[in-house]
CSV table of all heavy atoms in Angstrom, one decimal:
chain,number,residue,atom,x,y,z
L,33,GLN,N,-8.1,1.3,-6.5
L,33,GLN,CA,-7.5,2.6,-6.1
L,33,GLN,C,-6.1,2.7,-6.8
L,33,GLN,O,-5.4,1.8,-7.1
L,33,GLN,CB,-7.4,2.7,-4.6
L,33,GLN,CG,-8.7,2.6,-3.9
L,33,GLN,CD,-8.6,2.7,-2.4
L,33,GLN,OE1,-7.6,2.3,-1.8
L,33,GLN,NE2,-9.6,3.4,-1.8
L,34,TRP,N,-5.7,4.0,-6.9
L,34,TRP,CA,-4.4,4.4,-7.3
L,34,TRP,C,-3.7,5.2,-6.2
L,34,TRP,O,-4.4,6.1,-5.7
L,34,TRP,CB,-4.3,5.1,-8.6
L,34,TRP,CG,-4.6,4.3,-9.9
L,34,TRP,CD1,-5.8,4.0,-10.4
L,34,TRP,CD2,-3.6,3.6,-10.7
L,34,TRP,NE1,-5.6,3.2,-11.5
L,34,TRP,CE2,-4.3,3.0,-11.7
L,34,TRP,CE3,-2.2,3.5,-10.6
L,34,TRP,CZ2,-3.7,2.2,-12.7
L,34,TRP,CZ3,-1.6,2.8,-11.6
L,34,TRP,CH2,-2.3,2.1,-12.6
L,35,TYR,N,-2.5,4.9,-5.9
L,35,TYR,CA,-1.7,5.6,-4.9
L,35,TYR,C,-0.4,6.0,-5.6
L,35,TYR,O,0.1,5.4,-6.5
L,35,TYR,CB,-1.4,4.7,-3.7
L,35,TYR,CG,-2.5,4.3,-2.8
L,35,TYR,CD1,-3.4,3.3,-3.2
L,35,TYR,CD2,-2.7,4.9,-1.6
L,35,TYR,CE1,-4.4,2.9,-2.4
L,35,TYR,CE2,-3.7,4.6,-0.8
L,35,TYR,CZ,-4.6,3.6,-1.1
L,35,TYR,OH,-5.6,3.2,-0.3
L,36,ARG,N,0.2,7.1,-5.0
L,36,ARG,CA,1.5,7.5,-5.4
L,36,ARG,C,2.4,7.5,-4.1
L,36,ARG,O,1.9,8.1,-3.1
L,36,ARG,CB,1.6,8.9,-6.0
L,36,ARG,CG,3.0,9.4,-6.4
L,36,ARG,CD,3.0,10.6,-7.2
L,36,ARG,NE,2.6,11.8,-6.5
L,36,ARG,CZ,1.9,12.8,-7.0
L,36,ARG,NH1,1.6,12.8,-8.3
L,36,ARG,NH2,1.5,13.8,-6.2
L,37,GLN,N,3.6,7.0,-4.2
L,37,GLN,CA,4.5,6.9,-3.1
L,37,GLN,C,5.8,7.6,-3.5
L,37,GLN,O,6.4,7.2,-4.5
L,37,GLN,CB,4.7,5.4,-2.7
L,37,GLN,CG,5.6,5.3,-1.5
L,37,GLN,CD,5.8,3.8,-1.1
L,37,GLN,OE1,5.6,2.9,-1.9
L,37,GLN,NE2,6.1,3.5,0.2
L,38,GLU,N,6.2,8.5,-2.6
L,38,GLU,CA,7.5,9.1,-2.8
L,38,GLU,C,8.5,8.5,-1.8
L,38,GLU,O,8.1,7.9,-0.8
L,38,GLU,CB,7.4,10.6,-2.6
L,38,GLU,CG,6.4,11.3,-3.6
L,38,GLU,CD,6.3,12.8,-3.5
L,38,GLU,OE1,7.3,13.4,-3.0
L,38,GLU,OE2,5.3,13.3,-3.9
L,39,PRO,N,9.8,8.6,-2.1
L,39,PRO,CA,10.8,8.0,-1.3
L,39,PRO,C,10.7,8.4,0.2
L,39,PRO,O,10.6,9.5,0.5
L,39,PRO,CB,12.2,8.5,-1.9
L,39,PRO,CG,11.8,8.7,-3.4
L,39,PRO,CD,10.4,9.3,-3.3
L,40,GLY,N,10.8,7.4,1.0
L,40,GLY,CA,10.8,7.6,2.5
L,40,GLY,C,9.4,8.0,3.0
L,40,GLY,O,9.3,8.3,4.2
L,41,GLU,N,8.4,7.9,2.2
L,41,GLU,CA,7.0,8.2,2.6
L,41,GLU,C,6.1,7.0,2.4
L,41,GLU,O,6.4,6.1,1.6
L,41,GLU,CB,6.5,9.4,1.9
L,41,GLU,CG,7.3,10.7,2.1
L,41,GLU,CD,7.3,11.1,3.5
L,41,GLU,OE1,6.2,10.9,4.2
L,41,GLU,OE2,8.3,11.7,4.0
L,42,GLY,N,4.9,7.0,3.0
L,42,GLY,CA,3.9,6.0,2.7
L,42,GLY,C,3.1,6.4,1.5
L,42,GLY,O,3.1,7.6,1.0
L,43,PRO,N,2.4,5.5,0.9
L,43,PRO,CA,1.6,5.8,-0.3
L,43,PRO,C,0.5,6.8,0.1
L,43,PRO,O,-0.1,6.8,1.2
L,43,PRO,CB,1.0,4.4,-0.7
L,43,PRO,CG,1.9,3.4,-0.1
L,43,PRO,CD,2.4,4.0,1.2
L,44,VAL,N,0.1,7.6,-0.9
L,44,VAL,CA,-1.0,8.6,-0.7
L,44,VAL,C,-2.0,8.3,-1.8
L,44,VAL,O,-1.7,8.2,-3.0
L,44,VAL,CB,-0.5,10.0,-0.9
L,44,VAL,CG1,-1.6,11.0,-0.8
L,44,VAL,CG2,0.6,10.4,0.2
L,45,LEU,N,-3.3,8.2,-1.4
L,45,LEU,CA,-4.4,7.9,-2.3
L,45,LEU,C,-4.6,9.0,-3.3
L,45,LEU,O,-4.7,10.2,-2.9
L,45,LEU,CB,-5.6,7.6,-1.5
L,45,LEU,CG,-6.9,7.3,-2.3
L,45,LEU,CD1,-6.7,5.9,-3.0
L,45,LEU,CD2,-8.1,7.2,-1.4
L,46,LEU,N,-4.7,8.6,-4.6
L,46,LEU,CA,-5.0,9.6,-5.6
L,46,LEU,C,-6.5,9.5,-6.0
L,46,LEU,O,-7.1,10.5,-6.2
L,46,LEU,CB,-4.2,9.3,-6.9
L,46,LEU,CG,-2.6,9.4,-6.7
L,46,LEU,CD1,-1.9,9.0,-8.0
L,46,LEU,CD2,-2.3,10.8,-6.4
L,47,VAL,N,-7.0,8.3,-6.2
L,47,VAL,CA,-8.4,8.1,-6.7
L,47,VAL,C,-8.9,6.7,-6.3
L,47,VAL,O,-8.1,5.8,-6.1
L,47,VAL,CB,-8.4,8.3,-8.2
L,47,VAL,CG1,-7.9,7.1,-8.9
L,47,VAL,CG2,-9.8,8.7,-8.7
L,48,THR,N,-10.2,6.7,-6.2
L,48,THR,CA,-10.9,5.4,-6.1
L,48,THR,C,-11.9,5.3,-7.2
L,48,THR,O,-12.7,6.3,-7.5
L,48,THR,CB,-11.7,5.2,-4.8
L,48,THR,OG1,-10.8,5.4,-3.7
L,48,THR,CG2,-12.4,3.9,-4.7
L,49,VAL,N,-12.0,4.2,-8.0
L,49,VAL,CA,-13.0,4.0,-9.0
L,49,VAL,C,-13.8,2.8,-8.6
L,49,VAL,O,-13.2,1.8,-8.2
L,49,VAL,CB,-12.3,3.8,-10.4
L,49,VAL,CG1,-11.9,5.2,-11.0
L,49,VAL,CG2,-11.2,2.8,-10.4
L,50,VAL,N,-15.1,2.9,-8.8
L,50,VAL,CA,-16.0,1.8,-8.3
L,50,VAL,C,-16.9,1.2,-9.4
L,50,VAL,O,-17.5,0.2,-9.2
L,50,VAL,CB,-16.8,2.3,-7.1
L,50,VAL,CG1,-15.9,2.6,-6.0
L,50,VAL,CG2,-17.7,3.4,-7.5
L,51,THR,N,-17.1,1.9,-10.5
L,51,THR,CA,-18.0,1.5,-11.5
L,51,THR,C,-17.3,1.1,-12.8
L,51,THR,O,-16.4,1.8,-13.3
L,51,THR,CB,-19.0,2.7,-11.9
L,51,THR,OG1,-19.6,3.1,-10.7
L,51,THR,CG2,-20.0,2.2,-12.9
L,52,GLY,N,-17.6,-0.1,-13.4
L,52,GLY,CA,-17.0,-0.5,-14.6
L,52,GLY,C,-17.1,0.5,-15.7
L,52,GLY,O,-18.2,1.1,-15.9
L,53,GLY,N,-16.0,0.9,-16.4
L,53,GLY,CA,-16.1,1.9,-17.4
L,53,GLY,C,-15.9,3.3,-16.9
L,53,GLY,O,-15.8,4.2,-17.7
L,54,GLU,N,-15.8,3.5,-15.6
L,54,GLU,CA,-15.7,4.8,-15.0
L,54,GLU,C,-14.4,5.5,-15.4
L,54,GLU,O,-13.4,4.9,-15.5
L,54,GLU,CB,-15.8,4.7,-13.5
L,54,GLU,CG,-15.7,6.0,-12.8
L,54,GLU,CD,-15.9,5.8,-11.2
L,54,GLU,OE1,-16.0,4.7,-10.8
L,54,GLU,OE2,-15.9,6.8,-10.5
L,55,VAL,N,-14.5,6.8,-15.7
L,55,VAL,CA,-13.3,7.6,-16.0
L,55,VAL,C,-13.4,8.8,-15.0
L,55,VAL,O,-14.4,9.5,-14.8
L,55,VAL,CB,-13.3,8.2,-17.4
L,55,VAL,CG1,-12.1,9.1,-17.6
L,55,VAL,CG2,-13.3,7.1,-18.4
L,56,LYS,N,-12.2,9.0,-14.3
L,56,LYS,CA,-12.1,10.1,-13.4
L,56,LYS,C,-10.9,10.9,-13.7
L,56,LYS,O,-9.8,10.4,-14.1
L,56,LYS,CB,-12.0,9.6,-11.9
L,56,LYS,CG,-13.3,9.3,-11.2
L,56,LYS,CD,-13.1,9.1,-9.7
L,56,LYS,CE,-14.4,8.9,-9.0
L,56,LYS,NZ,-14.3,8.6,-7.6
L,57,LYS,N,-11.0,12.3,-13.6
L,57,LYS,CA,-9.9,13.2,-13.9
L,57,LYS,C,-9.6,13.9,-12.7
L,57,LYS,O,-10.4,14.5,-12.0
L,57,LYS,CB,-10.3,14.1,-15.1
L,57,LYS,CG,-10.5,13.4,-16.4
L,57,LYS,CD,-10.6,14.4,-17.6
L,57,LYS,CE,-10.7,13.6,-18.9
L,57,LYS,NZ,-10.8,14.5,-20.1
L,58,LEU,N,-8.3,14.0,-12.5
L,58,LEU,CA,-7.7,14.8,-11.4
L,58,LEU,C,-6.6,15.7,-12.0
L,58,LEU,O,-5.5,15.2,-12.1
L,58,LEU,CB,-7.2,13.8,-10.3
L,58,LEU,CG,-6.6,14.5,-9.0
L,58,LEU,CD1,-7.7,15.2,-8.3
L,58,LEU,CD2,-6.0,13.4,-8.2
L,59,LYS,N,-7.0,16.9,-12.3
L,59,LYS,CA,-6.0,17.8,-13.0
L,59,LYS,C,-5.4,17.1,-14.2
L,59,LYS,O,-6.2,16.8,-15.2
L,59,LYS,CB,-5.0,18.3,-12.0
L,59,LYS,CG,-5.5,19.1,-10.9
L,59,LYS,CD,-4.5,19.6,-9.9
L,59,LYS,CE,-5.1,20.4,-8.8
L,59,LYS,NZ,-4.0,20.9,-7.8
L,60,ARG,N,-4.2,16.9,-14.3
L,60,ARG,CA,-3.5,16.3,-15.4
L,60,ARG,C,-3.6,14.7,-15.4
L,60,ARG,O,-3.0,14.1,-16.4
L,60,ARG,CB,-2.1,16.7,-15.5
L,60,ARG,CG,-1.9,18.2,-15.8
L,60,ARG,CD,-0.4,18.6,-15.7
L,60,ARG,NE,0.2,18.5,-14.4
L,60,ARG,CZ,0.9,17.4,-14.1
L,60,ARG,NH1,1.2,16.5,-14.9
L,60,ARG,NH2,1.4,17.4,-12.8
L,61,LEU,N,-4.2,14.1,-14.4
L,61,LEU,CA,-4.3,12.7,-14.3
L,61,LEU,C,-5.7,12.2,-14.7
L,61,LEU,O,-6.7,12.8,-14.2
L,61,LEU,CB,-3.9,12.3,-12.9
L,61,LEU,CG,-2.5,12.2,-12.5
L,61,LEU,CD1,-1.7,13.5,-12.6
L,61,LEU,CD2,-2.4,11.6,-11.1
L,62,THR,N,-5.7,11.2,-15.6
L,62,THR,CA,-7.0,10.6,-15.9
L,62,THR,C,-6.9,9.1,-15.6
L,62,THR,O,-6.0,8.4,-16.0
L,62,THR,CB,-7.3,10.7,-17.4
L,62,THR,OG1,-7.3,12.1,-17.8
L,62,THR,CG2,-8.6,10.1,-17.8
Side-chain angles (χ1 to χ4, degrees):
Chain L
Q33 297 182 328
W34 285 91
Y35 290 79
R36 180 170 67 215
Q37 184 179 23
E38 299 185 23
E41 300 294 329
V44 175
L45 179 66
L46 298 174
V47 77
T48 301
V49 285
V50 297
T51 304
E54 182 177 2
V55 177
K56 278 192 174 179
K57 293 190 176 183
L58 181 64
K59 296 183 180 178
R60 293 178 294 101
L61 278 61
T62 302

